[in-house]
Amino acid sequence: MKILLVEDDNMHADFLMEIVEQALPEFDEILVAHNGKEAETLAHRHQISAVVMDLRMKEHNGIEAARTIWAERPDTRILFWSNYSDEAYLRGITRIVPDQAAYGYVLKTATQDKMRLALRAVLVEAQIVVDREVHQIQAQQMRSRSALTEFEYLILLDLALGLPDKAIAARRKLSLRTVQNRLLSLYDKLEVESQDQNEMGIVLNKRTRAVSSAIARKVINREGLIAANKELGDWLARAPASQR
């Protein structure tokens, strides 16, 4: 059996190699990729069914690599391993996980025992495992009044990519009035001021302020915007000119 480790930091890659050898003796071949593109190539070439994936890498991030791998083999088991527990990463993963896939999310601060348990649970037993700290963040999001709905999150990404209301409505198959109502809710949750101008008389752009607030709150990030921009390009290539 083969397993693919995806990590761009040599020290972390060595640690992964050592712990995988201890925890997963049934895997007799360990392949290592140093970025997402290399991971996609190796996963395709060797028909990999088990992956440990770093999320944030300089060349092609883990979410994009996982999306490509799952598109080809939806039953691939992927354990995400990251320093980050931001809402943006959680949303990025949940948006791309196939229904039949086993996956996990473990922080790099996890103990070796927890890492061993997660490796076996996800890659051998096909369970879904989420680090307790990450799970707490998910639970807080669900309980919070300021938590964005999935549609609000998608509209936020569209705002960040520069789409006007009419194009958002066409892309998301919503009425223009619905998009505008969702925007008002989005502004409220991100605490974008309702006044049109500040005490200096400078008019502030609410759309830009909403994106700025979302970045500051770690609701969206670079990796999520890269993925969203790719999806936008695919939509623009298919959409009639009247909808763009």
Side-chain angles (χ1 to χ4, degrees), residues 5 13-23 30 112 116:
L5 312 181
D14 290 343
F15 170 80
L16 274 182
M17 179 79 74
E18 180 180 341
I19 203 164
V20 164
E21 288 174 345
Q22 296 171 3
I30 302 175
Q112 291 192 25
R116 290 189 192 96

Side-chain angles (χ1 to χ4, degrees), residues 9 23 44 78 101 142 149 160 172-173 177 194 201 209 232 239:
D9 180 273
H44 172 76
I78 300 180
M142 293 177 64
T149 66
R172 302 303 174 187
K173 297 181 173 58
R177 175 65 61 86
S194 59
R209 296 284 292 172
L232 175 62

Side-chain angles (χ1 to χ4, degrees), residues 163-206:
L163 288 181
D165 292 359
K166 184 179 177 181
I168 295 173
R171 186 182 185 196
R172 302 303 174 187
K173 297 181 173 58
L174 300 170
S175 70
L176 185 58
R177 175 65 61 86
T178 298
V179 169
Q180 291 169 342
N181 287 337
R182 295 291 175 91
L183 283 173
L184 291 176
S185 175
L186 191 64
Y187 296 151
D188 180 56
K189 290 179 177 180
L190 293 174
E191 297 182 343
V192 175
E193 295 297 333
S194 59
Q195 66 262 27
D196 292 329
Q197 60 186 37
N198 62 13
E199 62 273 11
M200 295 178 64
I202 299 174
V203 176
L204 302 177
N205 186 300
K206 287 185 178 181

Side-chain angles (χ1 to χ4, degrees), residues 17 55 77 84 96 128 135 139-140 150 168 198 244:
M17 179 79 74
L55 275 178
R77 301 169 185 179
Y84 304 94
I96 65 171
I128 295 176
H135 178 71
Q140 289 169 2
E150 184 61 18
I168 295 173
N198 62 13
R244 301 175 195 169

Side-chain angles (χ1 to χ4, degrees), residues 110-160:
T111 64
Q112 291 192 25
D113 286 343
K114 286 185 178 179
M115 186 64 181
R116 290 189 192 96
L117 289 172
L119 285 165
R120 292 206 63 82
V122 176
L123 304 181
V124 176
E125 300 167 11
Q127 297 181 23
I128 295 176
V129 175
V130 178
D131 189 285
R132 177 177 295 180
E133 181 179 336
V134 176
H135 178 71
Q136 288 174 343
I137 292 173
Q138 289 178 317
Q140 289 169 2
Q141 291 170 5
M142 293 177 64
R143 293 193 300 265
S144 173
R145 271 193 69 255
S146 62
L148 302 187
T149 66
E150 184 61 18
F151 261 123
E152 287 167 350
Y153 176 72
L154 294 175
I155 289 172
L156 174 63
L157 290 176
D158 288 341
L159 280 188

